[in-house]
């Protein structure tokens, strides 16, 4: 990654922070952004300004340079301004991690219009906005790698997550179309599909209740067995480093002829 510049959305914590740090450890400069505020229809706290500041500190401890800004992936104009600022500072853009995403579990007929729209606006429209802001810079640099964060719910239906599954399936369709359109520009586009990951979203109360609906306020320990049952390999989740290492591979020249691929990092979950 030495000499490369990477854009990461949803960078304040969780997978986004992990991706920033892992890429920086390998020598990349980072353009990091996060909304740093809550969304009313999302039933857990999102990243904060303090969280984003911690991401900055961890990247700098790894020896990397980072530009961190508050930006909402639903705001194409504001997002583009941050990307343009980062490219002006670092001189290029080579890697895109469209990672920002939210979850708001509910039975399909109990989803409100606001829940549906907010989730699709972040998880699908936000991914498109990220690509739209970044692709002109990748073309100018004569190539690059785009990695879109999907989910196992982007490859199969998931009860109580109709809007989430619809959005994550949409991300796969966007990836496959962009892979075709951008191949002549030597820009590769792939998706990553995880099982549970131990993040603020993955271990939120709303997710724990999905796996232990029989308990009024289940803990992580209560849900651990339920998590493990969905995976072939008997683990409750995949770690942040496992996902970031997969992203690092797809971002690197070691995968230079891999494009249009939906890559599960799922402990075999898709085979159950």
């Amino acid at each position: 990654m030495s000499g490369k510049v990477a854009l990461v959305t949803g960078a304040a914590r969780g997978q986004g922070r992990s991706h920033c740090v892992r890429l920086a450890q390998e020598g990349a400069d980072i353009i990091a952004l996060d909304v740093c505020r809550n969304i009313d229809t999302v039933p857990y706290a999102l990243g904060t300004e303090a969280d984003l500041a911690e991401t900055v500190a961890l990247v700098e401890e790894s020896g990397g340079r980072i530009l961190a800004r508050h930006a909402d992936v639903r705001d194409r104009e504001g997002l583009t301004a941050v990307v343009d600022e980062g490219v002006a500072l670092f001189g290029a853009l080579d890697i895109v991690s469209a990672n920002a995403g939210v979850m708001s579990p509910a039975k399909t007929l109990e989803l409100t219009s606001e829940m549906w729209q907010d989730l699709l606006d972040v998880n699908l429209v936000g991914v498109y906005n990220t690509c739209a802001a970044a692709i002109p810079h990748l073309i100018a640099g004569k190539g690059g790698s785009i990695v879109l964060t999907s989910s196992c719910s982007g490859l199969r239906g998931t009860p109580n997550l109709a809007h989430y599954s619809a959005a994550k399936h949409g991300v796969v369709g966007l990836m496959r179309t962009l892979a075709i359109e951008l191949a002549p520009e030597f820009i590769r586009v792939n998706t990553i599909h995880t099982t549970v990951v131990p993040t603020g979203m993955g271990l939120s109360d709303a997710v724990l209740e999905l796996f232990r609906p029989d308990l009024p306020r289940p803990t992580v320990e209560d849900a651990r067995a339920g998590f493990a049952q969905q995976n072939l390999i008997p683990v409750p989740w995949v770690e942040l480093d496992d996902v970031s290492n997969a992203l690092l591979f797809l971002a690197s020249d070691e995968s230079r002829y891999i494009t249009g691929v939906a890559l599960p990092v799922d402990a075999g979950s898709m085979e159950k």
Side-chain angles (χ1 to χ4, degrees):
M1 293 291 107
S2 180
K4 303 283 189 180
V5 179
L7 167 68
V8 181
T9 67
R13 66 180 192 182
Q15 291 186 47
R17 174 188 288 170
S18 178
H19 297 342
C20 288
V21 173
R22 189 72 187 92
L23 290 166
Q25 288 172 342
E26 296 295 327
D29 294 323
I30 308 297
I31 304 167
L33 60 90
D34 199 287
V35 68
C36 291
R37 62 179 174 83
N38 292 334
I39 297 173
D40 289 343
T41 57
V42 176
Y44 55 89
L46 300 182
T48 65
E49 293 183 16
D51 291 327
L52 187 57
E54 185 173 348
T55 297
V56 170
L58 290 169
V59 167
E60 291 177 343
E61 287 174 13
S62 300
R65 299 187 298 170
I66 181 170
L67 173 74
R69 292 288 185 265
H70 302 162
D72 190 332
V73 293
R74 297 172 293 180
D75 173 12
R76 182 170 172 178
E77 182 177 338
L79 173 62
T80 299
V82 172
V83 175
D84 291 348
E85 180 186 1
V87 173
L89 176 64
F90 295 128
L93 182 64
D94 306 283
I95 299 155
V96 177
S97 168
N99 165 78
V102 295
M103 182 185 286
S104 53
K107 292 181 179 178
T108 302
L109 295 183
E110 295 175 1
L111 288 170
T112 66
S113 296
E114 292 78 14
M115 292 170 70
W116 178 273
Q117 197 61 54
D118 283 347
L119 188 137
L120 263 71
D121 283 348
V122 175
N123 290 18
L124 182 55
V125 178
V127 171
Y128 166 74
N129 287 343
T130 302
C131 293
I135 286 169
H137 297 293
L138 298 179
I139 292 174
K142 302 189 183 306
S145 174
I146 300 173
V147 184
L148 311 181
T149 299
S150 184
S151 165
C152 287
S153 295
L155 298 173
R156 66 184 178 203
T158 307
N160 302 309
L161 288 174
H163 53 343
Y164 185 82
S165 187
K168 293 301 189 180
H169 274 75
V171 167
V172 176
L174 176 63
M175 174 272 287
R176 288 174 172 155
T177 299
L178 289 177
I180 295 167
E181 291 183 357
L182 297 176
E185 305 290 346
F186 290 90
I187 298 169
R188 300 179 296 104
V189 192
N190 298 286
T191 48
I192 288 179
H193 302 260
T194 66
T195 184
V196 173
V197 184
T199 64
M201 181 176 82
L203 298 183
S204 65
D205 289 344
V207 172
L208 298 180
E209 289 166 6
L210 281 179
F211 286 86
R212 289 302 305 267
D214 55 313
L215 296 177
R217 300 187 69 175
T219 66
V220 172
E221 287 305 311
D222 292 330
R224 182 183 287 267
F227 288 150
Q229 285 174 2
Q230 71 176 344
N231 302 325
L232 282 181
I233 300 172
V235 295
W237 48 65
V238 296
E239 300 294 346
L240 288 164
D241 282 349
D242 299 310
V243 187
S244 293
N245 284 335
L247 179 134
L248 177 65
F249 170 67
L250 291 175
S252 75
D253 292 339
E254 293 181 0
S255 63
R256 63 181 180 165
Y257 295 136
I258 297 176
T259 193
V261 167
L263 175 65
V265 184
D266 68 341
S269 175
M270 288 304 304
E271 300 303 318
K272 293 201 74 172

